[in-house]
Amino acid sequence: MIKKYEIARALLFDNTDDTLFTKTFNLPQGEVKFDDFANNNFEKLADVIGTNDFKSIVETAGFKTDGGFLNLYQGSDRLRLYYAKKGDTVYVFAFGEFQPQRYKVYLEGVWIL
């Protein structure tokens, strides 16, 4: 059950260098490293927190799928979504290569379970 959430669409990283892969993001809710979310596809979050909470996150943030074969969820700039779960807090990020060798990371929102 989601107790609190904040839709905080904010650009955290936009650069062409590879410092992203060792970056730590200092957010008001806590510290999140790139490795905390980079391998956590958003679609797998339902297996971690349950279908009802997953649906609630999708609805409150207004996330949509790309309409493709795999129905991958997209966030800002149509980048693929990822998540980090730390304790009872779920962070959702949009991350990807925006242009050749130009990476972007957005914080899409924070949910407390």
Side-chain angles (χ1 to χ4, degrees):
M1 176 182 207
I2 293 176
K3 295 178 184 173
K4 181 179 172 183
Y5 69 92
E6 178 182 348
I7 306 301
R9 291 193 169 92
L11 181 62
L12 301 178
F13 185 89
D14 181 0
N15 209 327
T16 57
D17 63 24
D18 60 358
T19 59
L20 170 62
F21 306 112
T22 59
K23 189 133 180 82
T24 298
F25 301 100
N26 294 312
L27 306 173
Q29 302 85 358
E31 191 176 87
V32 179
K33 296 178 184 176
F34 176 78
D35 286 342
D36 292 338
F37 67 86
N39 292 319
N40 296 330
N41 298 332
F42 182 72
E43 295 77 20
K44 301 288 184 187
L45 181 59
D47 297 336
V48 176
I49 65 171
T51 304
N52 289 338
D53 284 341
F54 179 78
K55 285 181 182 178
S56 182
I57 288 174
V58 169
E59 289 173 8
T60 57
F63 294 137
K64 305 283 183 210
T65 62
D66 61 4
F69 174 70
L70 298 175
N71 284 318
L72 302 175
Y73 284 91
Q74 296 177 324
S76 299
D77 282 336
R78 297 187 316 188
L79 296 173
R80 188 168 179 192
L81 292 178
Y82 297 85
Y83 76 91
K85 185 171 183 306
K86 295 192 157 221
D88 290 338
T89 305
V90 174
Y91 302 86
V92 177
F93 298 90
F95 156 68
E97 191 172 23
F98 188 71
Q99 295 173 334
Q101 295 188 350
R102 177 182 174 198
Y103 296 94
K104 286 188 173 186
V105 175
Y106 288 90
L107 174 64
E108 296 289 326
V110 179
W111 287 261
I112 299 173
L113 305 176

